[in-house]
Amino acid sequence: MHLTAAVLASALLQGARALPQGPLSSATAPPSITISTAVASPSAPLSSPVPSQVPYHLPKSGAPAESSVLALYLLQTVNLARPYSDPKTIVDKPTSKTSQQVLSDFSSIDNSTVTEGDIVNFLDNDFRGEGLELEAVALANFNAQPASLNNVSDPLVKAFAQTVHGYWTQLIRQTNSTALCPEGTENGPCESTLIPLNHTFVVPGGRFREQYYWDSYWIVQGLIQSELYDIANDTLQNFMDEIEHFGFIPNGGRIYYLDRSQPPLFIRMLSDYVSATNDTAILKRALPLAEKELKWWADNRTLNVTSPFTNQTYAMAHYSVNNTAPRPESYLQDYLTANDPTLQTPLTEDQRADLYAELASGAETGWDYSSRWMSQPFAGGSNNTNPALRSLNVRQTIPVCLNSILYKAHTLLADLYDSQHENSSSAAAHRATAAAFRAGILDLFWDPSRLAFYDFNLTSNARSTIFTAATFYPLWNGIIPDEVLSSSENAFGLFAALNMVLNRYNGTFPVTFLETGQQWDSPNAWPPHQYIALEALRALPSNLTSNPLPTPGSGNSTFDLIPSGQIGVDENALPGQPIIGAGRNATKTGPAADINTLNGTVANGGNATNGEGWAATLQRELANRYIASTLCSWHATGGEIPNLLPRLSPQELNVTQSVNNTGNMFEKFSISDIDSAGRGGEYTVQAGFGWTNGVVLWVANNYGNVLVAPKCPDLLAQAQTTSTTKTNAAAASGPRGAVSVSAVLLSVVVATLFSV
């Protein structure tokens, strides 16, 4: 862990290791879950020397303790040895000895001749398996047939939703008190980066083996549909514990996340939970802590922005992490980005520190990483993303999504006060703050000519030109511009790109239309964005949406319906859509580009309905397409439903390298291929997967009457279409619910640095 964060969070470590531990619920019959742990296995021969390294980062002022300097050298050396496939593994492994003994063992290795074998032996002798501090727990109130499933009319879709509902039993965790390292950084028998939680929670899956902040919003949506209200309550209680002790909700449940948060969705989770359960008793504790979280965002992530359009000044939020070294869980990737050997002029220490702050700030956004944060998103091309990452400008970007979320948080908090008939002055204050956010959002982000919302760039003092799925966040949060309210044509214009995607591509709505190699860009489509797009459509007044879906003019594709300049990409520069079995992409322009257009609907978009308004049509089509993406990729990786969906043949499953697998729920999907997961980013695609499951269950509940069984592509024909193997599916394959072995970083380093 970097020393700057350590200094800022040194007091927090005591809280992290000493969250008051109430009695954990006992699990009399927890599900059988194998927690696999990684074994150090570098790719280089054990006799090979560890690669040379630049000087490890030291604080700019003050003399660091000798143990901290050694810990920094340990962290960097171990990462450069690459003993695991994922740097997160190292930091998630507890030590098997005291921190002093671990540092002593490392210091005994001859620095001038340290080899891969030295590092492997050191890790084997001084560290235990990652993830063992958490354990599976039985769901005492699990109902195999929640009422929400009754809303689904199609037998296959209903059975799939019920299967997904059952996956909560595989993702539920609690702190394993018998495996925790006791308190006391200096004298304890071991050290760990885990923030022990008092209550049960749902993990996203794969390398994400702890509770995460913004993932939990969509997990809670699913828990509500599954009638697992006690687990939703537990999730909120864990977050309240963290606010109480840290002053905010960290990115995730590890102490190396204590320098950053994630999109602030706690109040929205709280409001949705209270609405679903009428459990207003939780508000006695929650309301003061909600105030505390909002104050943290106001004090630490807010600045004044003067609009170049109106000269008005607004207090707006941005993501901005105070960080001057690689992120512990992604140390190697950050180190190599900053110390790229191909750079003709190496970065200075100040430039590296600035880049590390940008990388951490990008992780705080949840969209790590995307072209929306970059000044040069195509630098290096899609196969070498380091140059683009070096152009990150997160801290100088005012994001439309973050400010929309905060607008809604203040609005909901005011509503919660009103519901309790108390503190009217606080309710009024939050409504005033919300009104100020709303004014800033409409002024800075909304482009009335292009009919879309864009981030505001402080560097250029102008709106970004990159169109993203964040354009739907204001409507999801209750902000509808006057131009949209003025006509059905304008309202459709805001969603015209979504209509194009459904007609042109096989999958769901992408993050952007730019193919940069980053995981929060095309061709990837993420479950939260499909949920947000659906909610944005639902937010429109009915008088704007009763007309039928517009159709393009003669000789044009649905691209022609998009307002000029809105998506910032010419039609012939859009991502391609392979035609299965044809060995080529669809044409880029003209009506033939809309390969999925059917009579009144789209392929895998459900059945056309007489008298259906355009917004209802888009909702039906997107809801069905999302179910198709999740079900078909699950089936393609070994999923089956007796009597309804037979298991694919070994020959077919070999295409996705899933012969021994039983189906994966992926974290992200592809705009063009509903048989596969998404790709790109700094880690292999993960299976599990909390928010994917939550959105499936929410879609099943809200659109069950219009969902139909999808037609999944032929895997063998698909394999002939492209030479690209399904490496993502293979990397994430394994028994359903098993915790991935990919995770990496050094707990002793983090613990030692936090004790500085």
Side-chain angles (χ1 to χ4, degrees):
M1 189 66 167
H2 43 280
L3 285 174
T4 302
V7 171
L8 292 174
S10 59
L12 296 181
L13 177 60
Q14 295 300 321
R17 302 192 58 77
L19 282 179
Q21 292 291 294
L24 296 171
S25 59
S26 61
T28 56
S32 176
I33 296 175
T34 301
I35 297 182
S36 303
T37 61
V39 176
S41 180
S43 57
L46 295 181
S47 59
S48 300
V50 171
S52 60
Q53 53 188 291
V54 300
Y56 37 90
H57 175 79
L58 293 174
K60 294 181 179 180
S61 61
E66 181 179 353
S67 62
S68 298
V69 174
L70 181 59
L72 285 164
Y73 178 59
L74 185 160
L75 176 61
Q76 190 158 293
T77 302
V78 170
N79 270 277
L80 288 176
R82 306 190 187 200
Y84 306 106
S85 61
D86 180 351
K88 188 174 182 289
T89 302
I90 305 173
V91 282
D92 288 359
K93 283 181 174 291
T95 69
S96 56
K97 302 177 181 179
T98 66
S99 57
Q100 300 99 316
Q101 186 60 55
V102 172
L103 292 174
S104 175
D105 290 350
F106 181 74
S107 65
S108 67
I109 301 173
D110 188 338
N111 292 347
S112 63
T113 61
V114 59
T115 66
E116 299 281 348
D118 292 331
I119 297 302
V120 169
N121 291 335
F122 166 67
L123 293 173
D124 288 346
N125 292 331
D126 287 53
F127 291 86
R128 296 187 286 130
E130 70 278 7
L132 299 179
E133 309 108 316
L134 300 174
E135 61 184 356
V137 59
L139 288 171
N141 298 319
F142 184 75
N143 175 10
Q145 298 282 347
S148 61
L149 294 179
N150 296 329
N151 296 332
V152 186
S153 54
D154 183 271
L156 176 58
V157 176
K158 182 175 183 177
F160 175 63
Q162 185 171 14
T163 300
V164 173
H165 163 67
Y167 286 159
W168 297 131
T169 64
Q170 301 295 308
L171 295 172
I172 194 75
R173 298 288 185 274
Q174 69 179 13
T175 301
N176 180 4
S177 57
T178 63
L180 285 180
C181 294
E183 297 174 29
T185 300
E186 294 301 322
N187 301 313
C190 64
E191 292 297 332
S192 170
T193 60
L194 182 74
I195 298 176
L197 300 176
N198 291 327
H199 308 275
T200 53
F201 56 93
V202 175
V203 297
R207 77 198 290 261
F208 303 113
R209 57 178 60 84
E210 47 281 312
Q211 179 169 282
Y212 281 80
Y213 187 1
W214 85 310
D215 292 66
S216 294
Y217 178 76
W218 289 278
I219 288 171
V220 165
Q221 298 306 305
L223 292 174
I224 288 172
Q225 304 307 326
S226 292
E227 299 172 7
L228 291 169
Y229 306 121
D230 54 338
I231 307 302
N233 184 294
D234 281 348
T235 300
L236 293 168
Q237 296 295 340
N238 282 329
F239 287 143
M240 287 189 278
D241 287 346
E242 291 182 322
I243 297 172
E244 202 166 61
H245 289 274
F246 306 139
F248 74 110
I249 299 173
N251 182 149
R254 297 275 172 181
I255 62 174
Y256 52 71
Y257 289 135
L258 284 174
D259 63 353
R260 65 181 189 258
S261 187
Q262 271 193 327
L265 290 164
F266 168 72
I267 294 172
R268 187 144 200 165
M269 276 184 256
L270 174 67
S271 177
D272 290 349
Y273 167 78
V274 172
S275 296
T277 64
N278 200 31
D279 177 14
T280 57
I282 195 175
L283 296 177
K284 182 176 181 179
R285 184 187 187 205
L287 292 179
L289 293 172
E291 295 277 8
K292 190 172 183 179
E293 189 199 22
L294 288 180
K295 186 177 187 304
W296 184 90
W297 282 92
D299 291 347
N300 297 281
R301 297 293 189 268
T302 302
L303 42 72
N304 289 327
V305 180
T306 299
S307 167
F309 315 112
T310 64
N311 206 36
Q312 296 295 310
T313 299
Y314 307 97
M316 306 298 284
H318 66 148
Y319 295 107
S320 181
V321 179
N322 187 10
N323 181 52
T324 57
R327 293 166 295 151
E329 78 283 6
S330 299
Y331 192 100
L332 184 63
Q333 291 95 332
D334 289 2
Y335 173 91
L336 293 175
T337 300
N339 299 285
D340 191 335
T342 66
L343 280 173
Q344 292 184 345
T345 303
L347 301 184
T348 66
E349 182 178 340
D350 286 344
Q351 288 173 327
R352 288 198 301 268
D354 188 67
L355 175 56
Y356 291 142
E358 287 294 328
L359 288 163
S361 299
E364 187 172 60
T365 72
W367 297 40
D368 43 333
Y369 295 96
S370 170
S371 57
R372 71 182 291 206
W373 312 123
M374 298 170 180
S375 61
Q376 301 175 52
F378 293 105
S382 60
N383 293 321
N384 178 16
T385 58
N386 280 351
L389 289 172
R390 287 193 289 272
S391 77
L392 281 169
N393 194 34
V394 181
R395 293 174 296 169
Q396 293 298 305
T397 300
I398 308 299
V400 59
C401 50
L402 172 59
N403 287 279
S404 299
I405 290 170
L406 286 169
Y407 160 80
K408 189 65 171 182
H410 285 282
T411 301
L412 290 174
L413 191 51
D415 291 344
L416 289 170
Y417 278 125
D418 286 347
S419 72
Q420 300 304 293
H421 306 290
E422 61 178 51
N423 213 334
S424 58
S425 61
S426 291
H430 283 293
R431 288 204 169 89
T433 302
F437 267 116
R438 184 181 189 278
I441 288 166
L442 290 171
D443 187 346
L444 296 170
F445 306 138
W446 173 245
D447 188 322
S449 63
R450 292 188 287 174
L451 295 176
F453 289 93
Y454 303 87
D455 297 328
F456 188 82
N457 190 309
L458 294 175
T459 304
S460 62
N461 199 36
R463 293 187 190 107
S464 170
T465 59
I466 296 178
F467 177 85
T468 78
T471 194
F472 299 133
Y473 274 70
L475 272 72
W476 170 43
N477 288 290
I479 298 175
I480 305 178
D482 289 341
E483 290 82 2
V484 172
L485 293 172
S486 69
S487 72
S488 176
E489 291 76 16
N490 283 352
F492 172 77
L494 181 53
F495 293 92
L498 172 60
N499 178 57
M500 179 198 71
V501 166
L502 293 168
N503 284 272
R504 190 184 192 99
Y505 296 101
N506 292 346
T508 53
F509 197 75
V511 189
T512 71
F513 290 102
L514 304 181
E515 295 182 286
T516 65
Q518 305 295 340
Q519 68 168 345
W520 288 85
D521 277 322
S522 196
N524 289 344
W526 293 78
H529 290 165
Q530 315 317 311
Y531 169 95
I532 290 168
L534 288 167
E535 285 281 57
L537 284 163
R538 291 158 66 94
L540 292 171
S542 59
N543 66 300
L544 298 176
T545 62
S546 58
N547 294 334
L549 197 66
T551 55
S554 176
N556 293 314
S557 72
T558 49
F559 179 88
D560 188 54
L561 300 172
I562 299 174
S564 177
Q566 184 189 76
I567 65 173
V569 177
D570 292 337
E571 184 174 15
N572 60 10
L574 287 167
Q577 171 59 63
I579 298 178
I580 297 173
R584 61 179 176 83
N585 284 346
T587 182
K588 284 291 190 84
T589 59
D594 291 333
I595 64 170
N596 284 305
T597 301
L598 301 175
N599 184 21
T601 188
V602 294
N604 282 324
N607 298 321
T609 304
N610 290 332
E612 191 176 48
W614 66 264
T617 299
L618 291 181
Q619 289 178 66
R620 168 179 54 76
E621 292 174 349
L622 180 57
N624 273 280
R625 191 68 67 76
Y626 179 72
I627 293 298
S629 293
T630 54
L631 192 156
C632 291
S633 58
W634 174 81
H635 188 222
T637 51
E640 63 177 311
I641 299 175
N643 303 319
L644 288 172
L645 187 66
R647 183 176 174 83
L648 293 173
S649 69
Q651 183 183 13
E652 290 170 304
L653 292 176
N654 192 53
V655 173
T656 59
Q657 300 181 37
S658 301
V659 173
N660 297 317
N661 198 20
T662 56
N664 286 332
M665 298 294 292
F666 291 110
E667 62 169 347
K668 58 182 179 277
F669 299 92
S670 169
I671 184 179
S672 60
D673 178 7
I674 60 174
D675 270 349
S676 76
R679 60 180 185 266
E682 60 186 14
Y683 56 83
T684 57
V685 67
Q686 301 297 295
F689 198 85
W691 65 18
T692 304
N693 305 352
V695 176
V696 164
L697 295 171
W698 181 86
V699 166
N701 177 66
N702 287 279
Y703 297 97
N705 63 321
V706 297
L707 297 176
V708 300
K711 296 180 180 178
C712 300
D714 184 319
L715 275 176
L716 298 180
Q718 190 119 313
Q720 295 171 355
T721 301
T722 175
S723 61
T724 303
T725 60
K726 304 293 182 73
T727 54
N728 285 338
S733 65
R736 250 316 269 130
V739 176
S740 169
V741 299
S742 59
V744 180
L745 210 37
L746 255 120
S747 37
V748 64
V749 176
V750 179
T752 301
L753 292 177
F754 268 104
S755 67
V756 174

